Amino acid sequence: MILVPAAIPRTAPAFQRLIDPEQRPAVRAGLTVEALPPGVRVEQLPYESVESVTVVLSGRLFAAGRVLTPGEALHHRPGTSSRLTAVRGTPTTVLTVRPTPPGAAIPAQRSDSTPTQSWRQIDVGTVRLAPGATCGPYSDRAADTFLLLLSGAAVFLGELGETPLLPGDLVYIREGERYGLRAGRRGPVTAVLGRVGAPGAGLGPEWDGRPMRLGQADPQG
């Protein structure tokens, strides 16, 4: 388990590497978070051999011809780039998830080529728990998992016991490790839940290029 407290920036502009594969070679993905000032335009640069996912955590983001709101995600095919614009009004915070490239296992592709793999390596959703409800515990041997708490107070149920979590805290769980989430009794909890599998794992749906509303998990597991 890797715990990153207060992972979401409070001011913009700001950029932070939450999970860095160069420092932690055993992880399956790199996670970064960025706070964009209103009206700022950025380019999601292409990565030739791996996909990436942009998740809107707060504010509004214009991408793929529409406005994305908190709880929506945009998948980027390998070798493609996207222009992202923070909508004017309030700062926009986004989480970017990118699998660790497997070296020579996947050949580099041109941005105008069709990916040889049609199934996604990343699966992202949301967990909404009523006060006192529990999600898990689980043990996933096919993928790494991460939890980013957006609202409410919760307790992470892991290999080392119970760890209190506050909004903005991130927990990264390696494959095979036990994990779960229990909401506090004073209010509901919302968290982003993601899984990153090995190349060819087929965790997510086939590529369609459309923004996705994050799905809701079963609060009782």
Side-chain angles (χ1 to χ4, degrees):
M1 179 193 88
I2 304 171
L3 174 63
V4 183
I8 301 178
R10 295 181 178 272
T11 59
F15 176 84
Q16 183 179 353
R17 296 184 184 276
L18 305 180
I19 302 295
D20 189 349
E22 293 186 1
Q23 297 182 1
R24 302 179 183 273
V27 301
R28 287 194 182 274
L31 276 67
T32 60
V33 65
E34 188 169 9
L36 305 172
V40 165
R41 181 178 298 174
V42 297
E43 194 80 15
Q44 176 71 38
L45 299 177
Y47 284 77
E48 298 300 324
S49 60
V50 295
E51 67 191 89
S52 63
V53 175
T54 300
V55 184
V56 180
L57 303 179
S58 65
R60 295 184 299 162
L61 187 73
F62 183 78
R66 58 166 293 179
V67 174
L68 306 181
T69 58
E72 290 187 305
L74 182 64
H75 285 73
H76 310 278
R77 290 173 179 260
T80 62
S81 61
S82 299
R83 178 166 291 179
L84 312 175
T85 304
V87 177
R88 296 186 182 277
T90 59
T92 298
T93 306
V94 296
L95 173 74
T96 300
V97 184
R98 183 174 296 112
T100 305
I106 296 181
Q109 300 170 2
R110 296 176 56 87
S111 60
D112 58 352
S113 64
T114 301
T116 57
Q117 235 170 249
S118 62
W119 292 88
R120 291 170 176 162
Q121 190 177 342
I122 308 172
D123 181 31
V124 182
T126 52
V127 176
R128 297 183 179 90
L129 300 178
T134 300
C135 179
Y138 305 108
S139 180
D140 196 336
R141 299 190 178 278
D144 285 6
T145 305
F146 64 86
L147 279 164
L148 177 59
L149 195 66
L150 295 181
S151 64
V155 173
F156 176 76
L157 310 174
E159 298 280 350
L160 302 179
E162 300 185 354
T163 303
L165 298 179
L166 296 175
D169 290 348
L170 170 79
V171 183
Y172 189 98
I173 308 102
R174 289 283 291 127
E175 60 179 55
E177 294 182 357
R178 186 171 175 268
Y179 69 93
L181 191 68
R182 184 176 69 238
R185 298 192 176 277
R186 294 189 176 183
V189 163
T190 302
V192 173
L193 171 66
R195 299 169 64 232
V196 183
L203 296 181
E206 287 187 286
W207 294 103
D208 54 20
R210 295 174 297 179
M212 296 182 62
R213 166 66 63 176
L214 304 189
Q216 182 171 345
D218 180 357
Q220 299 301 329

